[in-house]
Amino acid sequence: MTAPLLLVDGHYLLHRAWFGFASRITNRDDIDRTGVFGFTALLRKAQLQHASGFEIFVVFDAEHGSQGRAGLDSDYKAQRPAAEPGLIESLTLVKNALDHSGVRWVEQDGCEADDVIATLTVRARAEGRPVDIMTTDKDFIQLLGDPNVRLLNTGLAQAHRYTTGDHVHPRYGVRPEQWPDLRALMGDPADNIAGIRGVGLRTASRLLTGGRQLESIPRDELRSAWTDVWPQVLRWREMVRLDTKVHLPSGPLTAESAAPLPRAADVLEALSLW
């Protein structure tokens, strides 16, 4: 019997750890350890509350992982400010903490974490393993056509932490597999994808009614201003689509349950960070 899988969006969790505590967490020498402490504590809490008996695997963005999508549109993620120095420095400490805790992780050269997570999800599902993805990134909605894939946001109230395929149409008016079409029409401020000016969720979901994709929207339902930018809309859709065939080292997943994770303070003490 193979373990269900919890895939963790590593940069999301580090960002939440860095900015999510009411006060900074410093060690005896007054060095800021908020990132590594928070990441380790939040991951342990997620295991205790939601992933007992799961394999846990963490995925990080590669340094230049977004270049492929930026090649389709130079505005892709261009609005994002440079990360704070302490946040970047915490990344190495987080990886050391994961190694100490026995949690496997990957940062695949040239790849965004989204595509690696999507690839690992497809691989695990081919083996019959349920998959939870710990993230706030809505682009993973496109994987929820499989009823054994869920999104987990532990920052929400307990009753609202999971998103499944059953939630998608009532919330957005489309099926999970239509998510890239929806985002291409209405845009995505988080990734600086503009979308069509004046097209919001209501209009975009109406255009995609009945399971349509961009190619099957009747031309008489499109305004002339929209058809003028249609080639860009198609490029935006390709940017939103997740790549489920990323080349990864063989056997990154073990299918074995993770051992109980140690307390964050104990990890920092063991790594001489406290």
Side-chain angles (χ1 to χ4, degrees):
M1 190 71 166
T2 55
L5 177 63
L6 176 66
L7 291 168
V8 180
D9 181 343
H11 277 82
Y12 144 72
L13 190 58
L14 177 56
H15 190 273
R16 182 178 163 203
W18 185 257
F19 293 105
F21 285 80
S23 59
R24 307 312 295 171
I25 299 169
T26 58
N27 68 3
R28 300 179 183 96
D29 298 318
D30 204 33
I31 298 173
D32 195 325
R33 299 300 191 206
T34 307
V36 61
F37 181 92
F39 188 105
T40 307
L42 290 170
L43 187 59
R44 180 175 184 267
K45 185 175 181 180
Q47 183 190 42
L48 289 171
Q49 293 185 345
H50 301 287
S52 176
F54 281 60
E55 178 180 4
I56 299 174
F57 194 88
V58 181
V59 183
F60 296 100
D61 288 314
E63 183 177 359
H64 302 295
S66 63
Q67 284 185 341
R69 287 183 172 89
L72 296 174
D73 186 337
S74 60
D75 289 334
Y76 180 66
K77 294 188 177 180
Q79 89 289 6
R80 297 190 180 185
E84 295 183 15
L87 181 60
I88 294 299
E89 293 165 3
S90 293
L91 186 56
T92 298
L93 302 180
V94 164
K95 292 172 181 175
N96 291 340
L98 290 172
D99 289 339
H100 174 79
S101 303
V103 176
R104 293 164 63 84
W105 58 270
V106 68
E107 181 181 302
Q108 187 67 17
D109 288 346
C111 295
E112 292 191 77
D114 296 13
D115 297 318
V116 176
I117 289 172
T119 298
L120 292 173
T121 297
V122 170
R123 287 189 184 183
R125 288 300 304 128
E127 298 172 356
R129 303 174 63 192
V131 178
D132 289 346
I133 303 171
M134 188 175 176
T135 186
T136 56
D137 190 338
K138 288 186 172 64
D139 284 345
F140 288 111
I141 284 174
Q142 62 196 273
L143 300 177
L144 297 182
D146 186 327
N148 289 296
V149 178
R150 304 183 296 183
L151 307 185
L152 171 63
N153 180 357
T154 58
L156 298 178
Q158 189 86 14
H160 303 289
R161 290 184 176 179
Y162 287 106
T163 299
T164 69
D166 290 339
H167 295 124
V168 177
H169 194 275
R171 291 180 186 176
Y172 303 105
V174 296
R175 301 169 185 170
E177 59 270 19
Q178 293 175 284
W179 186 257
D181 301 81
L182 183 77
R183 278 302 202 194
L185 290 168
M186 63 181 290
D188 183 359
D191 288 340
N192 210 33
I193 294 174
I196 299 176
R197 184 178 179 86
V199 174
L201 175 60
R202 183 175 178 178
T203 299
S205 61
R206 175 179 58 78
L207 291 170
L208 298 171
T209 188
R212 294 172 180 169
Q213 294 184 313
L214 296 180
E215 293 85 354
S216 56
I217 299 173
R219 192 170 184 83
D220 61 5
E221 294 186 25
L222 301 176
R223 299 177 185 175
S224 58
W226 299 352
T227 58
D228 291 343
V229 298
W230 208 250
Q232 183 63 62
V233 175
L234 295 174
R235 284 195 292 272
W236 288 329
R237 181 178 62 179
E238 292 310 305
M239 294 163 62
V240 176
R241 277 179 172 164
L242 298 176
D243 183 356
T244 60
K245 297 180 180 179
V246 171
H247 178 71
L248 296 172
S250 59
L253 302 176
T254 66
E256 297 176 359
S257 302
L261 297 181
R263 296 171 58 250
D266 295 338
V267 174
L268 268 64
E269 190 72 51
L271 295 176
S272 300
L273 298 174
W274 216 222

